[in-house]
Amino acid sequence: MKHLQVAVGIIRNTERQIFLAQRAASSYMANKWEFPGGKIEQDESAEQALKRELMEETGIEVTSASAIGQADHSYEDLRVTLHFFLVEGWNGEPYGREGQPQRWVEQQDLVADEFPPANHELISRLVAGEI
Ligand SMILES: Nc1nc2c([nH]c(=O)n2[C@H]2C[C@H](O)[C@@H](COP(=O)(O)OP(=O)(O)OP(=O)(O)O)O2)c(=O)[nH]1
Ligand SMILES: [Mg+2]
């Protein structure tokens, strides 16, 4: 089975709101909400991929990111390992640079069912205030 390594950014502002983007109707996990991010390339570290993907997808330059864990999940035909980073420092203002819908959500109001299953455990930790 194909196995993807994915860098994922939880962009959190000083009001404890988190930036979400909606996956394209044509993509895998279509229309689910997600944390911006994407596949780690061969020659990249997870943090390098995070910085590249967040610039591509949200237009921000990440200046502070800390690794907060990983999640491994097998979908029907795809295995993913998500590398989660809490992003609390950046230059610019995040927006859906690829035209994707976006919104800021209070951390305690995140709803697991709006995300792909691989995110569910992390959402629980965020809602519980453990991160
Ligand atoms: N970015 C992101 N991907 C996630 C999350 N949860 C989750 O299961 N995934 C999965 C869905 C995708 O199959 C896989 C790869 O992420 P991606 O589709 O963002 O990868 P990418 O930006 O490199 O995609 P591409 O358009 O360049 O092909 O990770 C999440 O919260 N954020
Ligand atoms: Mg992506």
Side-chain angles (χ1 to χ4, degrees), residues 15-84:
E15 290 154 60
R16 285 183 83 78
Q17 295 169 325
I18 292 178
F19 182 85
L20 304 181
Q22 193 169 25
R23 294 184 63 81
S26 59
S27 69
Y28 195 65
M29 293 287 146
N31 299 321
K32 289 285 188 186
W33 288 84
E34 68 169 5
F35 305 109
K39 297 173 206 90
I40 304 172
E41 306 287 350
Q42 285 278 309
D43 55 347
E44 276 181 330
S45 66
E47 191 165 343
Q48 285 170 336
L50 176 82
K51 291 182 171 177
R52 178 181 52 72
E53 288 282 351
L54 266 51
M55 175 56 77
E56 288 173 10
E57 296 187 359
T58 74
I60 63 169
E61 180 195 359
V62 172
T63 57
S64 167
S66 48
I68 54 167
Q70 298 184 6
D72 204 76
H73 190 84
S74 291
Y75 295 114
E76 207 170 311
D77 48 1
L78 176 73
R79 182 171 162 204
V80 294
T81 300
L82 305 181
H83 300 253
F84 296 119

Side-chain angles (χ1 to χ4, degrees), residues 78-97:
L78 176 73
R79 182 171 162 204
V80 294
T81 300
L82 305 181
H83 300 253
F84 296 119
F85 290 87
L86 182 62
V87 175
E88 293 190 294
W90 63 86
N91 292 322
E93 182 59 30
Y95 71 105
R97 196 178 175 186

